[in-house]
Amino acid sequence: MVTKKREFGDMPADEFRRHGYEIVDWIANYFEHIEDFPVLSQVGPGWLKQSLPIAAPDQGEDFATVLADMDKLIVPAVTHWNHPSFHGLFATSASSVGIFGEMLAAAFDMKAMLWRTSPASTELEDVVLDWLRQMLGLPEGFEGIIYDTASVSTMHAIAAARERANLRIRDEGMSGRNDLPLMCVYASAHVHSSIDKGVITLGLGLRSLRKIDCNEQFEMIPEKLAAAIEADIAAGHVPICVIPTIGTTSTSSVDPVDLIADICEKYDIWMHVDAAYAGPAAIMPEFRKYFAGWKRAHSIVINPHKWLFTPFDLSVLYCRDLGALKQAFSLVAEYLKTKEQEAVKNGMDYGIQLGRRFRALKLWFVIRYFGVEGMIARLREHCRLARLFASWVQESNDWELLAPVPFALVCFRAVGVGSPHASNGSSHHGLNAIGDDHLNNINEKIMNAINASGEAYLSHTKLSGKFTLRLSIGSIHVEEKHIKKVWDLLNHHLRHSGSSSTTLRT
Ligand code: PLP
């Protein structure tokens, strides 16, 4: 039905209702049939741009036409992050209730800058983040603030650490000053690139970032950290921040946070823990062992949009002293002054953004709908599936595990050809003889073939020069059959990788 447009004002309520119901139906069908779509979009670069008009329509169009174009043009160009066979990067998913939260937040369209412009967002954020703090086993005193991404959370943490160094940077800046020492930031060689970007953004420069060596388990070596700090102090530099990771991006390894905290306390350095990916695992009591020492951090980042069923975006920065962040960022222009400002929390005081989205609503929905036990059950299942997959890798002679599996990420690679006899107890005789370059090629080919098939999506990393396949399990829709499917695909593509057993093993 084509509806005549009003001259002014928004879409009429009855039209909104009709399309709104259609869209909810669309989303419900999408989730029911998501496995009919290729996980990775199969369109080539430029396909969508070429398919769209180069200029905006002069006259408004019927919304039904727009929706039809979404099916025809947008959906083919979608990589389906909500697909249960999405195992690349870190698998994430938007739960249905989280989607409701996004819809309602868009309807309210509040900009949570001041308490008075957004009492609901400001206060709900405090309450929900305190619930989450308790779920994670963090002590009272940690107060949270929501940003869009971990990259931004970490950048704010480093900014607070820089302010704490008392070098008057907020007022005097860094450029043109010759009285400033080099301010050093320390992280492991496996740290996420957002830390590099943080030091770039804050004007510290990449030369201030010390990448500390890791052991064979990809964990930061604390003695090397202490030595780097000592050397920097001896050279007249000022260590301002150490960033251990719980759940690194490549392998989900866990830095020894407790030992690193000892070092930070000894030298009085801000410790920021990057638990963007693995943080939610702290909700499970049996996983708390990986979080020893994180209570001693000055700040911690955790991303509910990664592994807590919350639609992108929602990253939480917990600070032991949120005042440090306020000191770094609070600036109240005349038009933002309110009579209650001393008595309330104004979100704008804690970062570079003025307006902030009402993100707490979706997290509140997610936590209330699933409950703590429901979340634990789902996270636990993901970890069980990861261990199951890892056990298949370990039991096979054709594959090897390349890193421990503390959470729900498996790092592995092909080392042989799946001949009928290969997995019957024969050992990796030829392994040492096979060059890594050759194995790297084969593994890359297998990954590309699976991704091109649209059946599943895997991504990779490089560990000690080895092309490493990463299988991340984190979708709310994932079941054991999906893990089995990707295992079958891997073995199928290994057999068809163009190499024979002899070429691989000689
Ligand atoms: N930290 C870690 C350990 C990550 O794995 C990632 C992303 O995968 C990030 C930070 C950055 O996350 P975001 O996309 O929220 O900035």
Side-chain angles (χ1 to χ4, degrees):
M1 188 201 333
V2 179
T3 325
K4 182 151 174 23
K5 292 248 162 41
R6 286 175 172 178
E7 193 179 354
F8 302 111
D10 198 4
M11 178 186 272
D14 59 340
E15 194 185 343
F16 178 84
R17 204 168 274 118
R18 183 159 47 82
H19 291 307
Y21 292 150
E22 269 174 40
I23 286 176
V24 169
D25 272 342
W26 193 100
I27 297 173
N29 284 332
Y30 174 62
F31 284 151
E32 272 176 338
H33 300 288
I34 194 164
E35 292 188 53
D36 296 346
F37 293 101
V39 187
L40 197 63
S41 168
Q42 306 286 298
V43 304
W47 177 85
L48 180 59
K49 276 189 173 175
Q50 281 160 14
S51 312
L52 292 168
I54 53 166
D58 285 334
Q59 303 298 318
E61 298 178 65
D62 187 59
F63 193 65
T65 316
V66 181
L67 270 185
D69 275 352
M70 190 191 69
D71 276 320
K72 205 167 79 197
L73 300 174
I74 303 300
V75 174
V78 169
T79 286
H80 297 276
W81 284 72
N82 272 318
H83 196 299
S85 296
F86 186 109
H87 299 296
L89 309 165
F90 279 122
T92 64
S93 51
S95 59
S96 305
V97 282
I99 294 169
F100 290 154
E102 283 287 18
M103 284 167 74
L104 289 165
F108 295 129
D109 193 31
M110 66 181 73
K111 284 81 184 171
M113 48 179 85
L114 299 167
W115 174 86
R116 68 163 57 181
T117 62
S118 46
S121 177
T122 309
E123 297 192 13
L124 188 67
E125 182 165 328
D126 274 354
V127 170
V128 171
L129 295 191
D130 201 56
W131 287 4
L132 184 61
R133 173 192 67 73
Q134 296 171 52
M135 291 160 62
L136 297 166
L138 286 170
E140 271 183 45
F142 272 103
E143 234 186 301
I145 180 99
I146 296 178
Y147 298 113
D148 52 0
T149 57
S151 307
V152 168
S153 294
T154 291
M155 193 270 291
H156 281 88
I158 303 173
R162 188 183 64 174
E163 203 49 37
R164 186 171 173 266
N166 265 332
L167 294 164
R168 302 180 313 282
I169 289 173
R170 183 190 152 111
D171 292 326
E172 294 180 28
M174 294 165 72
S175 67
R177 283 179 69 178
N178 53 17
D179 62 329
L180 280 183
L182 186 73
M183 287 164 272
C184 301
V185 176
Y186 306 80
S188 96
H190 274 263
V191 79
H192 187 262
S193 56
S194 55
I195 281 75
D196 304 57
K197 287 203 177 176
V199 302
I200 293 171
T201 310
L202 292 167
L204 299 169
L206 288 173
R207 82 187 169 108
S208 70
L209 179 57
R210 310 301 197 225
K211 297 266 178 95
I212 307 298
D213 288 345
C214 293
N215 61 20
E216 313 83 76
Q217 317 278 295
F218 314 104
E219 302 156 350
M220 193 197 290
I221 302 171
E223 294 76 18
K224 299 255 183 188
L225 170 67
I229 291 172
E230 293 271 355
D232 280 331
I233 293 173
H237 306 327
V238 176
I240 57 166
C241 189
V242 177
I243 308 182
T245 305
I246 300 180
T248 57
T249 312
S250 277
T251 70
S252 79
S253 61
V254 177
D255 288 333
V257 178
D258 227 1
L259 297 175
I260 293 170
D262 290 343
I263 298 168
C264 290
E265 282 166 15
K266 177 171 172 195
Y267 296 98
D268 191 24
I269 307 172
W270 183 291
M271 182 169 85
H272 170 66
V273 174
D274 182 351
Y277 158 63
I283 298 172
M284 299 178 281
E286 71 274 27
F287 281 73
R288 287 272 165 86
K289 60 183 183 230
Y290 296 115
F291 295 84
W294 78 329
K295 298 175 180 166
R296 298 165 69 190
H298 294 77
S299 57
I300 297 172
V301 60
I302 134 164
N303 273 4
H305 73 222
K306 277 202 190 338
W307 199 16
L308 217 47
F309 319 121
T310 306
F312 191 75
D313 49 11
L314 198 163
S315 174
V316 181
L317 180 70
Y318 281 108
C319 274
R320 243 194 299 147
D321 172 18
L322 211 57
L325 212 57
K326 192 167 178 182
Q327 206 178 326
F329 287 104
S330 178
L331 190 76
V332 186
E334 183 55 37
Y335 42 82
L336 294 168
K337 288 185 179 149
T338 59
K339 66 176 173 13
E340 69 273 10
Q341 65 191 23
E342 297 306 324
V344 297
K345 187 170 176 181
N346 289 324
M348 66 168 192
D349 285 337
Y350 301 89
I352 53 166
Q353 275 186 275
L354 174 61
R356 305 166 63 251
R357 296 181 62 223
F358 186 9
R359 297 188 181 91
L361 187 65
K362 58 188 170 185
L363 186 55
W364 187 55
F365 282 4
V366 169
I367 296 178
R368 288 193 61 184
Y369 181 78
F370 294 107
V372 180
E373 287 179 9
M375 292 185 151
I376 288 180
R378 285 165 177 79
L379 298 180
R380 222 173 242 159
E381 176 64 0
H382 293 169
C383 296
R384 183 190 76 81
L385 293 176
R387 283 194 302 271
L388 180 66
F389 184 88
S391 72
W392 296 336
V393 170
Q394 276 178 311
E395 283 159 19
S396 164
N397 286 310
D398 297 334
W399 303 90
E400 71 173 349
L401 216 49
L402 291 175
V405 184
F407 305 108
L409 173 73
V410 188
C411 291
F412 63 103
R413 69 170 180 169
V415 288
V417 161
S419 74
H421 308 293
S423 47
N424 279 341
S426 59
S427 60
H428 298 181
H429 301 302
L431 250 189
N432 293 336
I434 303 167
D436 268 341
D437 283 350
H438 190 45
L439 286 178
N440 287 354
N441 277 336
I442 301 231
N443 280 281
E444 190 169 2
K445 258 191 183 171
I446 293 171
M447 181 186 81
N448 289 341
I450 292 177
N451 291 345
S453 75
E455 294 285 325
Y457 175 49
L458 293 170
S459 62
H460 79 282
T461 188
K462 266 226 170 124
L463 298 175
S464 315
K466 296 173 182 163
F467 190 95
T468 304
L469 301 172
R470 291 170 72 266
L471 179 96
S472 168
I473 299 169
S475 167
I476 198 162
H477 308 289
V478 73
E479 295 173 38
E480 191 170 322
K481 67 178 182 192
H482 301 109
I483 306 304
K484 180 73 175 66
K485 178 174 102 173
V486 78
W487 179 239
D488 291 343
L489 282 167
L490 284 159
N491 283 293
H492 169 83
H493 286 288
L494 172 60
R495 282 194 294 275
H496 295 86
S497 59
S499 298
S500 69
S501 183
T502 20
T503 52
L504 256 179
R505 289 177 180 276
T506 49

